[in-house]
Structures are given as C-alpha cells and as structure tokens.
Amino acid sequence: MHPATRAALSSFGFDPWIVVPLLVTAAIYVRGWRALHAQMPERFGRAQLAAFLGGLAALLLAVASPLDSFAGLLLTVHMLQHLVLTMVAAPLLLLGAPQIPLLRGLPSSVVRTALGPFLASPELRALGRWLTWPPVGLIAFVGVTWLWHIPALYELALRSRGWHALEHATFVGAALLFWWPIVAPWPSVPVWPRWALLPYMLVADVANTALSALFSFSESVLYPTYAAAPRLAGTSALGDQAAAGAIMWLLGSLGLLVPAGVIAIRLLSPPLARPGEHGERARADDAARALAAARLAATRRRRRAPLDLLALPVLGAVLRSPRFPRTLRLVSLALAALIVADGFLGPTMAPMNLAGVLPWTYWRGFLVVTLLVAGNWFCTACPFLVPRDLGRRFLPARLRWPRALRAKWLAAALLVAWLCFYEAADPWDAPALTAWIVLGYFAAAVVVDGLFRGAAFCKYVCPIGQFNFVTATLAPFEVRVKQPDACAACTTRDCIRGNASQRGCELDLYQPRKQGNLDCTFCLDCVHACPHDNVGILAVAPAIDLARDPRRSSLGRLSARPDVATLALVLVFGAFANAAAMAAPVVGWQQALARGLGVAEEPLVVALLLLALVPLPLAVAFACAAAGRALAGSPAGLREIFCRFSLALVPLGAGMWAAHVLFHLATGGASLWPVAQRAARDAGVALLGTPAWSMAAPSGGLPWLLPSLVLLLDVALLVTLWLLWRIAASYGGRARREAALAVPWGGVACVLWAAAIWILLQPMEMRGTMVH
Amino acid sequence: MRDRRRLAPRAARAALVLAVACGCVVRVAPARADGGLVRASSEQAGLIVTLFTAPTPLRVGSADVSVLVQDVRTREALLDAAVDVRLEPAGGGDALLTARLDHATATNKLLQAATLALAQPGRFRLVATVRHGDASAVASAEIEVAEPLPALLALWPLLALPPAVVGIFIVHQWLRRRSLGTAREILAAAHPGRAAR
C-alpha cells in the first residue's frame, strides 16, 4: 500500500468525550438487550443488537475515523461524513428499538427514581409525541440540513470545534426524528399510515436533490476554507465541490428511495400467513418466555447482593491474605525510612529531597484519590503500626483511654494545630523538619498505643487518621457484614472480641452495628476473626452514609456528636484555607495586612488560619442551623441540625483537598525520578543515572488540568447539595419546609464552591517544585 | 466459591470493557492537527508547503501548528520531509519559539504537527522550514495572537453544570411530587373510607 494511503487510513482521532459515552451507551444497551432477549427473543433478536451496535459504530466511524481528519480538507469527505451520520447511523440506531433496552440496561433504581418522574410526565410525553410527528421530523431534517450548509454557518463549524460538535449533534438528532416514523421502533405506534411515508420520503429527497444541485452546478466555490485548502488527489476546489454535490445527490437519494421502495413493495404485497395464536409454536414461545422470565427473576435476586471485593477472584484472595496488610506496611515503612534518611542527610532544598517530594507531592495525592475511589486503604498500609506492634511486646498497653478524651475534640484540636503548624513552619520546604515530623509520629504511635489498650492513637489522636476517616465516608466501599441474619445467631462476637488466633477490632467497631467508614482503618481484623466469613468489603452508594443517622457502633448517633461535626468542619474549612494560603493574591493581602498592623507576617497568618478553622466554621454552621430551623419551623433541636447538616459539607471539603493535592501531583509529578536518581547517586548507587533536573520543574502546559479540577469541584458541590436535600427530606414534611432547612447550608456550599473556583484561577505558589 | 466462579466471567468482561475504554481515552490525539485555518501556502524547489493553525482565532495558550508537504508535480503528500517551525516577532528578531513537527502529534497523518505555547498576545511571524532531500522550502505567515479568554468564560460549560443539574433536579422533584399527589387523589377517590381514616 502506498505510504500516503496508509497514513491517510491511519488518521484516527479518539476523543474521550465521544468514545466513552458511546461505549457506555453500548454497554447499557447490551445489558438491557440480554434481559429482553431472554423474555422476548422474537422482538429483541440479534438483528436488533447488530443494528444498534452498528449505528454506534457508524457514529464512531463518522467522527473518529479519517473521515473526520480529512473533512476539513475535502468537501467530498465532509459530505460523506454527514451522510454516514444521517443516512446510516440514525436509522440503524432506531432499528435497534433502543428505548426499552436502554431503560432496561440502566439500574432499576436509576430508572425508577431518576427517570421515572420524567417518563411519566404528561408534558414530556406530549413533547415526545409532537417531536415524533412526521411533519416535525421532516421539517427538522430538511431545515437542519439546509441551515448548516449556509456558507457562514458551515465555515463557523469548520473553524470551531464546539460549533462542529453542535452541527453533528443536530444532524444526528434531526435524522433520528426524521427516521422515527419510517422505522417506528417498538413499542412506538405509527401515527401515519404506511403509504403516507412515501410522499414523506419523496419530499425529503426533493429537498436533498435541490441542495446537492447547488453544489454540483455552482460556478464558484461556496466555502472559502475549501477554496484555500491544499489540493489532494488531483482535484480542484470546484471539482471537489461538484463531487460532494454528486455524492450527496446519489447516496442521499439512495438512502431515501430504497427504503421508500421497500415500503411500497410491502404495501403492495399480500400479507404473510402467521401462525395461529393457539398454535404449537405460540405455546412453545410462551413456555420459553415464562422460563426465561423465571431465570431472569432468579438472576435479579442473585444480583441484588452488592459487590464484595473479598469475593473477587485473585483480588479477593490477595486482600484476605494476612500478608497483604503486613506487606503494605513494610513497604510504607521502608519509604518512611527513606524519607527520614534523606531528610536528615540529603540536600536542604526540598524539591531535590525525597522528604520534600514523596510526602508532600505524591503521598498526599495518592492518599486522597485512594480514599475517594476505594476506601481507607492508606490506614491499612500505615507504617506507624509496625513499630507500634513491636513496641507492644515491651510496653504494657494496659491503661484505658481516658473517658473524657473519648471524643473527637482532641483529634479536631490536633488537626487545627497541625494545619497551623503547616502554614507557620512550611514543612513542605524543610526536609529535615519533615523527617522530624515522621519520627515524632512514630514515637507518638508507639507511646500512645504502648500505654493504652486498643488502637487509641488511631481512633482518638492521629490527625491523618481523622482526615482518612472523614474522607472515607465518601468511598464506594465499606467493611460491613454480608448477611445480618448470620450475626444475629452469633454468640462469640469474634469480630470485636477476637479469638485465640486473631484479635478483634481494636477501634471498638462491632460489625452488626457498624455503619459507614468512620473510625474504620480497613485493617480487616474483623474479616479474619469472623468464624462465619460474614464480613466483606462491600460496594455502597458513595456518601449515602452521611445522609443517614442510625445508631452506630462506638459512635452512637452522629446527630448527637458535635465533636464529629466540628472535626468535619475543620477539615472542610481547612481545605479552603490551606489552598487559599498558596494563592498569590491571598499572600499579598496577608503581607499588606501585616504591614498595616505593624506585626510579623507569620503570627498573623497563624492567627488568621485559627480564625478560619475554628470560630468561623462554627459560627457559620450554627448560623445556618439556626436560620434553617427558624425558616422551617422545625421541631428538631439546634444541635441535631448543626451536627447532621455539617456533615453534608464533607464532599465539598474533600473535593477541595483533592483539587489541591492533584494540582501538585500533576504539576510536580515528574519530580520523583530526578530526586530518586540523586538519592541513589548520593548513596553510591549509579544505576539510575544522572538526575534530569528539568523534570523537577513544574509542568506548565497542562490544558486539561484546570477543567478537570473544576469538574471535580462541580461534582463535589452537587454531592453536597444532594446530601443537604436528603438530610432535609428525612425530617419529613412539605417541600418548602425541607428547602427552608437546607437553603442556608446550600448557600454556604455555593459560596465555598465559588471560593474554590477563584482559588484555582489564581497564580499559585508551586510548592515542591524547582520554582515556587 | 460458586459466587466467585460466577463473578469471574462478569469481572473479566467488566475489566475488558474498562481496559478498552481506558485505551481509547489514553490514546487521545494530543494536538487536533487535522488542519485548521490555512495560514500560508508556498511553492518552492518542487515542494508545496501549506501551513495551518488552530484554533481560530489564536489566543494566548496552546496552539496547534500543522504543515502539509506535497510534491508540486504529483500533489502527492511527502511524509518524510523534515519540518521545523519558529515563531518570531512580526518586525523580525530572534525566534521566540521553535518546534520540530512530526506525524505522531497530528491526527491527520498526512500532516506534521506540534503544539506551541503562545505566551503573549500580539503580532508575530510563523515560519515553517521544510527540507526534503536536497530541496528546501519556506512558508510563513503573520499571525495575530489575541488575549486569552477570561478564565470564567473559557470554563463556562463547567461552571454552568451545577445550576443546570440543580434545575433539572428541581423539575424532577416537582414532577415526582405532582405524580404522588395525583396518585393520592386517585386512591382517595377510589377508597374514600380509607382516606377518611
């Protein structure tokens, strides 16, 4: 094959914004089709499946193949692209009778709760009937085709990706409306008699012919882009235009007249004899349908059990193995040792030191992502547990943790102290200080858990642990019982008491009453201790735990836990304060304020941060609780509203933390390699080569980064608003009362979201990279 | 054990779909260099050089530059030409940016492309130098780089997403409550005794 031809045929462009939705649509359709095929094989046969998937493939061919790559150079190719969209993709999609399979392919809860009200709405049904009325489809199809071929609009689509996407979307949409009465996808009922579709298609063909004649017989090139384009394949611009018109004429007419001919032939042919309703074949179909329905119902009952990571092949075995957490801890211990060693012995410049890069760029980024995607696995891998467990062999660990400290107040205070220390001492810029912090953490874990029973350090002290617990409430996985009935019959309670071979939960979480991920370190002691293998890592709806208020093991009701709410508020507002402190305008404002007040900058920064972490969030939360309660006339107590609604802000806080640390990970993510090269060379190992320090400079050219982070914050805001609505709805009553309870909190959430967007748009201090 | 065996093919299918999806997502054309606006075209030394830029208009930020090199006699695309592009001030002077173009960066593999980071607005000269064997040709164009769009404007679809979703949700809740209200009325009409109780 000629190299140029091979190059042309390999000119594919996979845009994830197109490919992913098409793949998801295909997956949903196939899932629904399989269920329907079992019930109604004659309605949903392989032909329907092939048609729909063929339609999706045609869409992909039109927008991701060389058709798209060459559409800007040759009008002929562009015309072919549009014909594939309107004459191939659209009718094939409809031939797949997509409505029912797509609905069936979605989770039933989504269809019932999310789509149900729309599907049942008389107004939307009327709109659907109007849109599928043949004259509307004809006008839309002809109108959209002619409109987009007006030179000014055609050129606009050629110059702008956004307008081009809109052009293609309207072509497909109008084509679907046009072909709807012709294909009449089941279960739609044709509104016109079949013979009326003949003039319907002829009118469309006349319009297509007229437009294509304009191209074929025009004496000038209509579109300046093609007049200026380089000539390929020996064509002139005018010749290309004429050929485009000819293709539009020929293929467009074939696409319309062949189906018209098929309809005409069917109308004129005598009807085929059908088997009687009470015939043997009908009885066999009925029996097959009943059997398939029974099998489907049985499958659905089995499918209601949530996904259990511990039941998956390979992964389940790995997670269950006692060696798994031990291995993770040893690896993280080794990394911690490297951080300490390089922190003390390596260069003082943080971007060149493992202690400057590993914890502040990598560990934070992977921590937040793992918490949100998989759960609290970083506590599983905690390196401080290794010396703690060793220390317990020598230390008594007999004392009970003081009752007065068995709340989150101490943890919240330590978190506030840590965040203030972070701003005051800049440990991210001081490798030796980072090393001391790591050593101090080890010492604290050993001492606290060496003196007190249970995992007191994890449950009541560790600031990182508290961050993990709160953020993991958003995770899609949770350690929980599989079958509650099995626990009801259990008398030994090994999950919390332990047994001869395995200790129970050291955080006092009794599995049958455990709800959510708060205080759960994913240590899986309960999994190993349970004699009935009744504890798994089950999939749950993310964040739903924050909307509920059951009585939880070791925590009680969160509506009665202002300490937990305060901890959550510190984390939420801390996210914004921590990120804002990096923004150049905020730094400048702080400096100006310090000069104006005649004080040193550092103490002022700490004071402002303290304000932002303690009185401000508490005041805002109480004000929202009081305002909502007054507006709604709710009988619920102020403390209860404060506690429950404060937790709804957690997604927004987690989103801000995630945006912040992912920004650093994306911009400084290449820095680990040269730092590792330097550390290896300093240790006398030349294996990794000479450090390439250019990689440690911040990556500036990441156009996808800001939009991705904004999208992340959008999702975080929407989850927070949804939680506010769910919590408000749990108080019952009318919609206005629910809204009144939630509106003040929603306002705060929107303000925080706007602040997050503003922070992301500011010039940033590029911490952890060669320039900051 | 039985559950694990049933889970295996489902997990494998899910993993396969995920892998294909990730592969498609990862394999994103870094520069959508399937042309753009024709900035210059020149015929020299048996070569036709056409210079494209995208997006239109050019703004401070990322810009795609593509070049198509053709043989003047056959109009055939020459894939083995070496193409360099430089950006210099409109009035002349040292190059502000230089880049070597290649086919890998282009979506349309007949073209060679690169992404330039335009750091400041103003008028500039974009010069493409092509070498094919002993022949060399140059195509150049004056370009105007506009100020970047205000960040909020550039992000408007993402900023509009939360209000749009909230609006749809409000409509959803209104429809749901209305249908529940209608259902209650129908039940009350059908069973007035129960409704009274």
Side-chain angles (χ1 to χ4, degrees):
Chain A
M1 190 188 282
H2 196 280
T5 308
R6 193 181 316 124
L9 291 175
S10 61
S11 300
F12 284 82
F14 287 100
D15 187 340
W17 289 109
I18 295 170
V19 172
V20 172
L22 288 181
L23 282 176
V24 169
T25 306
I28 292 171
Y29 181 90
V30 169
R31 185 172 183 255
W33 176 87
R34 289 182 67 210
L36 290 165
H37 180 65
Q39 286 186 306
M40 292 180 279
E42 73 287 352
R43 279 257 179 249
F44 291 97
R46 293 184 199 283
Q48 277 73 28
L49 177 68
F52 189 80
L53 295 182
L56 292 181
L59 277 179
L60 198 60
L61 179 75
V63 298
S65 72
L67 281 179
D68 190 60
S69 303
F70 283 87
L73 296 176
L74 287 167
L75 182 58
T76 317
V77 174
H78 206 166
M79 201 62 76
L80 207 55
Q81 181 187 43
H82 292 170
L83 285 169
V84 169
L85 288 174
T86 56
M87 297 293 179
V88 178
L92 280 178
L93 289 173
L94 292 177
L95 282 169
Q99 304 101 290
I100 306 301
L102 287 175
L103 286 175
R104 195 65 176 269
L106 289 169
S108 57
S109 57
V110 170
V111 176
R112 209 173 42 245
T113 55
L115 297 180
F118 293 107
L119 295 173
S121 158
E123 292 86 357
L124 288 175
R125 285 181 168 211
L127 177 66
R129 281 194 298 272
W130 180 78
L131 284 173
T132 53
W133 190 43
V136 171
L138 181 62
I139 292 169
F141 184 62
V142 172
V144 162
T145 306
W146 277 79
L147 196 68
W148 279 112
H149 284 92
I150 295 171
L153 290 180
Y154 207 88
E155 286 287 316
L156 181 64
L158 284 170
R159 301 266 168 98
S160 161
R161 286 186 65 187
W163 283 104
H164 206 170
L166 180 66
E167 181 197 45
H168 288 168
T170 49
F171 271 134
V172 174
L176 285 171
L177 295 180
F178 172 76
W179 286 102
W180 188 281
I182 300 166
V183 176
W186 189 81
S188 70
V189 177
V191 293
W192 276 11
R194 293 303 275 174
W195 63 262
L197 296 175
L198 297 176
Y200 175 79
M201 297 173 81
L202 283 171
V203 168
D205 185 49
V206 166
N208 176 67
T209 301
L211 183 60
S212 48
L214 276 177
F215 289 111
S216 293
F217 300 115
S218 173
E219 290 178 358
S220 61
V221 178
L222 295 171
Y223 305 123
T225 293
Y226 295 109
R231 303 321 322 157
L232 294 173
T235 60
S236 65
L238 205 57
D240 175 41
Q241 182 174 280
I247 284 176
M248 187 184 192
W249 198 345
L250 178 66
L251 296 181
S253 291
L254 275 175
L256 290 166
L257 296 178
V258 166
V262 169
I263 292 172
I265 291 170
R266 282 188 182 166
L267 282 170
L268 294 170
S269 303
L272 289 169
R274 288 184 187 155
E277 281 189 20
H278 301 289
E280 279 187 18
R281 189 171 160 192
R283 277 198 291 275
D285 281 348
D286 286 343
R289 226 175 273 138
L291 181 62
R295 279 189 189 146
L296 188 63
T299 311
R300 274 188 174 159
R301 278 196 294 274
R302 276 200 300 273
R303 282 188 187 154
R304 277 194 200 122
L307 173 69
D308 180 5
L309 291 184
L310 296 181
L312 292 177
V314 181
L315 179 64
V318 168
L319 295 177
R320 279 178 182 277
S321 166
R323 288 198 208 106
F324 171 69
R326 261 185 256 143
T327 308
L328 283 185
R329 286 168 198 160
L330 287 173
V331 167
S332 56
L333 181 65
L335 289 171
L338 281 175
I339 288 170
V340 170
D342 209 35
F344 286 131
L345 303 173
T348 54
M349 196 168 163
M352 297 177 73
N353 194 303
L354 285 173
V357 164
L358 265 180
W360 306 115
T361 302
Y362 288 85
W363 174 81
R364 284 195 309 175
F366 288 118
L367 169 70
V368 175
V369 170
T370 305
L371 286 170
L372 293 174
V373 167
N376 196 2
W377 292 103
F378 267 69
C379 278
T380 314
C382 178
F384 309 122
L385 296 181
V386 177
R388 182 199 74 167
D389 288 344
L390 284 173
R392 276 179 176 174
R393 295 183 187 188
F394 309 102
L395 294 171
R398 280 200 217 109
L399 302 174
R400 291 180 71 91
W401 185 256
R403 186 173 285 277
L405 295 179
R406 285 182 209 171
K408 298 293 184 183
W409 296 115
L410 174 64
L414 288 172
L415 204 47
V416 170
W418 163 251
L419 290 170
C420 292
F421 172 78
Y422 182 87
E423 281 310 316
D426 296 342
W428 51 269
D429 203 24
L433 180 57
T434 300
W436 278 117
I437 290 169
V438 173
L439 286 178
Y441 235 96
F442 276 115
V446 171
V447 167
V448 171
D449 280 356
L451 293 175
F452 297 96
R453 276 190 270 171
F457 181 76
C458 302
K459 193 174 173 79
Y460 301 114
V461 179
C462 177
I464 302 173
Q466 306 313 312
F467 176 88
N468 292 356
F469 294 152
V470 174
T471 309
T473 56
L474 307 175
F477 292 100
E478 187 181 311
V479 178
R480 62 191 298 175
V481 298
K482 292 186 272 194
Q483 299 291 339
D485 296 341
C487 293
C490 177
T491 54
T492 51
R493 301 186 182 178
D494 301 60
C495 58
I496 193 167
R497 289 179 185 161
N499 51 44
S501 56
Q502 173 64 50
R503 68 185 173 202
C505 180
E506 292 197 291
L507 288 104
D508 295 329
L509 297 173
Y510 178 48
Q511 279 300 320
R513 287 210 288 270
K514 176 183 178 287
Q515 297 281 341
N517 282 327
L518 272 176
D519 282 6
C520 180
T521 59
F522 275 51
C523 64
L524 306 186
D525 282 347
C526 51
V527 172
H528 299 129
C530 178
H532 312 290
D533 189 23
N534 196 34
V535 182
I537 304 174
L538 305 185
V540 294
I544 192 68
D545 181 53
L546 294 173
R548 299 179 182 143
D549 190 35
R551 186 173 295 279
R552 300 161 193 257
S553 174
S554 169
L555 288 160
R557 289 191 195 279
L558 294 184
S559 58
R561 294 293 302 264
D563 55 319
V564 175
T566 303
L567 177 67
L569 288 172
V570 167
L571 281 167
V572 170
F573 281 77
F576 293 87
N578 190 253
M582 274 178 42
V586 173
V587 172
W589 175 77
Q590 286 170 349
Q591 289 168 346
L593 186 62
R595 280 197 302 273
L597 294 174
V599 299
E601 194 184 335
E602 290 286 359
L604 177 68
V605 168
V606 173
L608 289 172
L609 190 57
L610 266 173
L611 265 175
L613 291 176
V614 184
L616 177 67
L618 290 175
V620 166
F622 269 112
C624 289
R629 190 165 169 263
L631 283 171
S634 171
L638 186 64
R639 185 180 74 163
E640 178 184 335
I641 295 175
F642 165 82
C643 290
R644 290 198 69 192
F645 282 84
S646 296
L647 294 174
L649 297 178
V650 167
L652 205 44
M656 186 72 243
W657 279 115
H660 181 179
V661 299
L662 289 175
F663 172 80
H664 286 300
L665 187 59
T667 53
S671 56
L672 180 60
W673 180 241
V675 173
Q677 287 176 308
R678 187 237 87 224
R681 196 189 53 184
D682 288 354
V685 176
L687 203 65
L688 302 182
T690 309
W693 288 115
S694 58
M695 293 172 74
S699 308
L702 298 172
W704 53 267
L705 182 59
L706 182 60
S708 304
L709 298 181
V710 172
L711 184 61
L712 178 64
L713 288 166
D714 284 348
V715 171
L717 172 66
L718 290 171
V719 174
T720 284
L721 293 177
W722 173 76
L723 277 176
L724 289 172
W725 166 74
R726 282 291 296 252
I727 295 171
S730 71
Y731 286 96
R734 299 167 67 86
R736 276 190 195 152
R737 185 162 140 185
E738 292 169 16
L741 263 179
V743 155
W745 298 90
V748 168
C750 292
V751 168
L752 288 175
W753 172 79
I757 302 294
W758 180 85
I759 291 169
L760 287 182
L761 294 178
Q762 303 312 308
M764 285 288 186
E765 211 176 17
M766 301 302 288
R767 298 176 176 182
T769 53
M770 285 300 215
V771 175
H772 70 81
Chain B
M1 199 58 182
R2 280 181 68 195
D3 283 340
R4 282 185 203 170
R5 278 206 294 268
R6 276 197 207 101
L7 278 166
R10 267 201 282 163
R13 272 199 298 273
L16 179 65
V17 169
L18 195 61
V20 169
C22 289
C24 293
V25 168
V26 165
R27 198 196 167 288
V28 171
R32 192 176 169 79
D34 44 3
L37 185 66
V38 173
R39 291 288 186 174
S41 184
S42 77
E43 281 186 30
Q44 292 173 21
L47 301 172
I48 304 174
V49 179
T50 311
L51 177 64
F52 303 84
T53 62
T56 306
L58 287 171
R59 293 187 183 275
V60 171
S62 288
D64 295 341
V65 177
S66 335
V67 169
L68 174 67
V69 183
Q70 293 172 282
D71 181 280
V72 72
R73 283 181 299 111
T74 62
R75 299 277 167 162
E76 191 183 296
L78 301 173
L79 303 179
D80 54 349
V83 184
D84 295 287
V85 73
R86 68 175 185 276
L87 186 76
E88 54 193 38
D94 291 337
L96 300 167
L97 281 173
T98 57
R100 167 61 64 96
L101 276 60
D102 57 44
H103 291 291
T105 315
T107 310
N108 186 333
K109 298 300 178 192
L110 292 186
L111 278 62
Q112 298 193 42
T115 305
L116 298 184
L118 303 176
Q120 53 200 347
R123 292 197 72 81
F124 301 91
R125 176 158 285 279
L126 192 62
V127 182
T129 308
V130 173
R131 274 174 283 278
H132 184 254
D134 294 330
S136 72
V138 171
S140 66
E142 268 207 14
I143 59 172
E144 178 88 42
V145 177
E147 295 278 356
L149 277 178
L152 290 179
L153 196 58
L155 294 169
W156 78 263
L158 291 169
L159 298 176
L161 181 65
V165 172
V166 169
I168 292 170
F169 183 77
I170 290 172
V171 170
H172 173 274
Q173 287 299 298
W174 178 75
L175 288 172
R176 182 173 158 267
R177 283 164 203 261
R178 189 181 67 169
S179 67
L180 283 174
T182 307
R184 279 194 208 109
E185 282 170 18
I186 292 170
L187 275 173
H191 303 280
R194 268 192 213 164
R197 268 182 263 132

